[in-house]
Amino acid sequence: MERCGGVYALCGYIDRATLEPRIDRKFEVGLPFSEGLAAVRSEGKFGYINLSAEMVIAPAFDLARGFRNGHAEVVVGDKAGIVDRTGKFLLSPNYARAIPFGAGAALVRPGKAVASDAYGLLRFTAQELFFQRADSRYLLIDLPSGKILKDELAIKEFEFGTFVWAAQPGDKRYGLLAPDGTWKIEPRFETAGKLHGGRAIVCYGRPTGHEDQSAQHGLADATQCGAIDRDGQTILAPQQFRIHGYRNGFYLVTERQKVGVLDEAGRLLGGRLFDDARLPDYSGEVTKILVNGQWIGLNRAGDLIPDPEDGKVLAVCPSGIKFMHSGNRIQVVGADEKPTVSYLFDDMHMTCEFPVSVRYNGKWGFLKQDGKLLVDPPSFQSQFGFSGGFAGVKIDGKWGILDSGGLLALAPQFDEMQPDSGAYAVSKDARKFWIDASGREVSEPRRLEDRQSKLRCEPDGGQRVSRNSNGTLFWGIADAAGNIVVEPKYRAITCFRDGLVWVPFDERQEWCAIDRNERRRESVACIKNWPDSNVAHARAETMSDDPYESGVLWMRAELEYGLDLREKPPRFVSQF
């Protein structure tokens, strides 16, 4: 499987079982292997390698997908076509999508293939078939003859090697279409799911003109759902419920805000619906159901049994302390398997970093390494976990500081408190300031770890570095060992992504992508303001009336914050 990283963010492949390297990191993008080939991007173009890392189809495509039945969808410019395992075009690139279907057909959509993303890179849209516009229509083409077998189809994925969900013009119902243009199942489903676990969930709407008592509750109450297999055969007859999932022989169903579980035969386990239900994992034999506020088990025979997770060990600490699941709560036991305290704590993430926070009946406390409470009973309204031997605690609406011996190092007196880089940000009498654990007022922390993180790239990706030239900082990139890989000569710089790094070009008034040899990638669109491309529903703090200059100044401010040359980092401002 693919694995990317390093200073240039390049991709190689590792053994899925052992995680040992198999193909060196040398590609800008590496897609998963399919049918023995993997699409990789090298110097801006996609080609295909085999399991020996040999480039068997030369890089010539702007985008590429995996192989199905010996065929793959590729993009040249802004048009998609289909190639075989030699790289020969079976369908010329003239479409927005060109999906291999079966061994000799294709589903194609007219138009342009892709658009640039926020980074200026061309990308396929994830889950396109499920989230596409309603007016996206496909043609079914026979590849050997080029003959159009069907047109104006709305499609959803089933399994392109066998069938696809399709709806005919003017019809909102889906059927199962074969590559030769015949219907395995005539269109009749209101909703149809992707094949998963050897089955697909299908739902039928209320028949036209049908009236019954459920009509007043809306379509959801009148809909029936079932399941079909890979060959389009019914494996679960239509049921009166909405089906929301399947796992290990159990179907999760709903009706009028109640939840139930069906077995493979469609039998409603337990003979009733419940307040909630959770399917087991892929090897589990018992479903969890919520009854009167308590989680219990429901087995394949439909019997109600104790919660299958009761007694499950959630964590074992070096001291011998164990955290165990008990009736939707957590019990703490010692090395002797006996409870260390009489309380059953709220179900929450537990660690062995003592004192550890626990909650009981809405009150907070802390467990010591021996499993006993630091303060018994739990009595704090709120808390911040221990750090450096101290914890912030709230008592009667005021914040104070507790030491690791369970004594108040600082009496509750603050209206607000927040741990902050070894100090505490507090407010008292409408005044905000910082204190240490003894209550002594201190300066605002420098937050060195946060600052340094602004310069670091990925864990093994090195960092951004600077050089002062006549009082002006210029930026480049060094690898994890400190070796310069991009000379510090740019007013600002990003980290590498997909083998490219973005820098501002003043002569163009744009940010453009350059490769590891510092050549501008002509095939990648430049963008006006890099910081604004990194977030959704927000914009970078304005630092100049000119959008380009504002983005450069914003990035420089972030980098200067990383060097501890600036008090505050630049902000993103919500657009809501």
Side-chain angles (χ1 to χ4, degrees):
M1 62 183 183
E2 65 277 11
R3 186 60 55 89
C4 309
V7 65
Y8 298 117
L10 297 177
C11 298
Y13 292 83
I14 62 174
D15 185 278
R16 190 179 298 276
T18 66
L19 304 185
E20 291 294 319
R22 287 291 178 264
I23 297 176
D24 292 341
R25 291 176 175 175
K26 55 185 177 181
F27 306 109
E28 295 172 346
V29 176
L31 301 186
F33 272 88
S34 59
E35 300 183 4
L37 299 178
V40 295
R41 195 178 82 196
S42 179
E43 302 299 322
K45 294 292 184 180
F46 278 90
Y48 289 85
I49 60 170
N50 62 18
L51 291 166
S52 299
E54 298 168 323
M55 190 73 76
V56 294
I57 299 178
F61 314 114
D62 293 297
L63 283 175
R65 291 185 189 262
F67 273 87
R68 292 191 185 106
N69 293 303
H71 302 160
E73 180 180 15
V74 297
V75 172
V76 177
D78 58 5
K79 297 289 186 178
I82 292 177
V83 296
D84 65 14
R85 291 176 62 86
T86 69
K88 175 186 175 183
F89 272 102
L90 301 177
L91 186 70
S92 298
N94 292 315
Y95 305 96
R97 287 297 310 272
I99 304 170
F101 184 25
L107 288 157
V108 302
R109 176 163 61 84
K112 291 185 177 181
V114 286
S116 300
D117 67 7
Y119 299 99
L121 297 169
L122 296 176
R123 296 191 183 277
F124 283 117
T125 303
Q127 296 291 319
E128 180 178 1
L129 297 183
F130 284 94
F131 300 106
Q132 64 189 3
R133 302 188 315 271
D135 61 350
S136 295
R137 295 290 172 173
Y138 286 78
L139 309 175
L140 174 60
I141 294 179
D142 177 67
L143 283 179
S145 67
K147 180 181 177 182
I148 296 176
L149 304 177
K150 295 277 186 183
D151 60 9
E152 293 295 304
L153 294 170
I155 69 169
K156 290 185 178 182
E157 186 171 350
F158 179 77
E159 187 177 60
F160 288 117
T162 52
F163 306 109
V164 68
W165 290 118
Q168 300 180 106
D171 193 347
K172 295 183 179 180
R173 297 170 302 168
Y174 284 87
L176 210 53
L177 184 68
D180 63 2
T182 61
W183 293 100
K184 175 68 175 179
I185 299 178
E186 291 287 336
R188 64 174 183 267
F189 300 116
E190 170 198 345
T191 61
K194 183 178 177 180
L195 189 71
H196 181 71
R199 68 199 60 223
I201 307 301
V202 293
C203 294
Y204 308 74
R206 182 173 56 249
T208 303
H210 179 74
E211 295 290 343
D212 62 18
Q213 188 176 3
S214 67
Q216 61 183 318
H217 299 287
L219 179 61
D221 290 334
T223 297
Q224 293 186 330
C225 296
I228 66 171
D229 66 12
R230 183 185 306 275
D231 296 319
Q233 301 298 315
T234 297
I235 54 177
L236 179 67
Q239 306 291 313
Q240 68 186 54
F241 311 105
R242 278 275 183 185
I243 299 179
H244 294 275
Y246 170 85
R247 190 180 300 144
N248 197 28
F250 297 99
Y251 292 92
L252 187 70
V253 302
T254 60
E255 183 182 44
R256 301 182 189 180
Q257 299 183 332
K258 289 288 187 177
V259 185
V261 181
L262 304 182
D263 65 10
E264 293 273 24
R267 185 169 62 104
L268 183 63
L269 296 182
R272 54 169 290 200
L273 299 175
F274 305 96
D275 297 323
D276 201 355
R278 296 175 184 171
L279 298 182
D281 60 27
Y282 288 97
S283 61
E285 293 294 311
V286 179
T287 290
K288 291 181 64 173
I289 56 173
L290 185 64
V291 180
N292 299 324
Q294 293 293 319
W295 288 96
I296 59 176
L298 180 68
N299 65 18
R300 292 189 187 276
D303 301 322
L304 303 182
I305 61 176
D307 185 339
E309 294 191 0
D310 270 358
K312 178 181 178 181
V313 176
L314 303 175
V316 180
C317 300
S319 62
I321 296 298
K322 295 180 183 178
F323 300 115
M324 302 180 65
H325 192 282
S326 178
N328 242 22
R329 293 183 177 274
I330 294 176
Q331 185 175 61
V332 185
V333 300
D336 59 1
E337 302 297 329
K338 295 180 180 179
T340 59
V341 289
S342 59
Y343 308 103
L344 293 178
F345 299 108
D346 291 349
D347 192 358
M348 53 190 290
H349 178 65
M350 306 296 290
T351 74
C352 296
E353 297 178 7
F354 297 98
V356 61
S357 304
V358 291
R359 187 175 60 205
Y360 174 73
N361 280 352
K363 296 290 187 179
W364 289 89
F366 301 95
L367 280 178
K368 298 182 293 182
Q369 196 161 355
D370 60 3
K372 302 291 185 181
L373 281 163
L374 194 61
V375 177
D376 194 350
S379 54
F380 304 114
Q381 292 173 293
S382 190
Q383 52 80 40
F384 291 107
F386 270 86
S387 176
F390 297 94
V393 293
K394 190 175 185 180
I395 303 173
D396 295 330
K398 297 292 184 179
W399 286 91
I401 295 179
L402 190 75
D403 67 20
S404 57
L407 300 177
L408 284 169
L410 190 61
Q413 56 191 283
F414 302 104
D415 300 316
E416 295 177 345
M417 174 180 284
Q418 178 71 48
D420 190 346
S421 303
Y424 298 85
V426 296
S427 67
K428 184 177 181 180
D429 300 328
R431 177 173 168 256
K432 295 185 178 182
F433 53 102
W434 284 263
I435 61 169
D436 62 17
S438 70
R440 182 173 62 91
E441 191 167 336
V442 296
S443 301
E444 180 176 352
R446 301 304 299 171
R447 304 180 186 90
L448 294 180
E449 177 61 28
D450 176 59
R451 290 174 178 275
Q452 293 167 3
S453 71
K454 302 297 185 183
L455 303 181
R456 288 195 297 267
C457 297
E458 295 301 320
D460 61 349
Q463 64 177 350
R464 292 179 283 183
V465 294
S466 64
R467 180 174 61 205
N468 192 315
S469 175
N470 297 323
T472 300
L473 287 177
F474 290 92
W475 292 89
I477 292 182
D479 64 18
N483 302 307
I484 299 295
V485 297
V486 176
E487 287 292 331
K489 60 184 181 182
Y490 300 99
R491 292 178 63 207
I493 196 168
T494 71
C495 291
F496 273 93
R497 179 175 182 262
D498 295 342
L500 301 175
V501 66
W502 295 76
V503 294
F505 283 79
D506 287 345
E507 64 274 18
R508 295 176 58 99
Q509 292 286 287
E510 287 182 315
W511 292 74
C512 298
I514 59 174
D515 63 18
R516 54 195 139 155
N517 297 312
E518 297 187 54
R519 296 173 302 200
R520 189 169 72 83
R521 183 62 56 83
E522 298 289 345
S523 61
V524 179
C526 297
I527 54 181
K528 197 70 175 177
N529 186 331
W530 170 263
D532 270 351
S533 70
N534 282 265
V535 294
H537 312 307
R539 59 175 177 79
E541 176 184 356
T542 299
M543 295 190 166
S544 169
D545 292 336
D546 175 69
Y548 165 75
E549 188 64 19
S550 182
V552 174
L553 293 176
W554 191 98
M555 178 70 78
R556 288 180 63 83
E558 182 175 67
L559 296 171
E560 288 165 6
Y561 175 78
L563 287 179
D564 201 14
L565 299 176
R566 179 183 169 95
E567 286 295 318
K568 301 283 186 181
R571 299 175 300 122
F572 281 108
V573 181
S574 172
Q575 300 201 59
F576 292 105

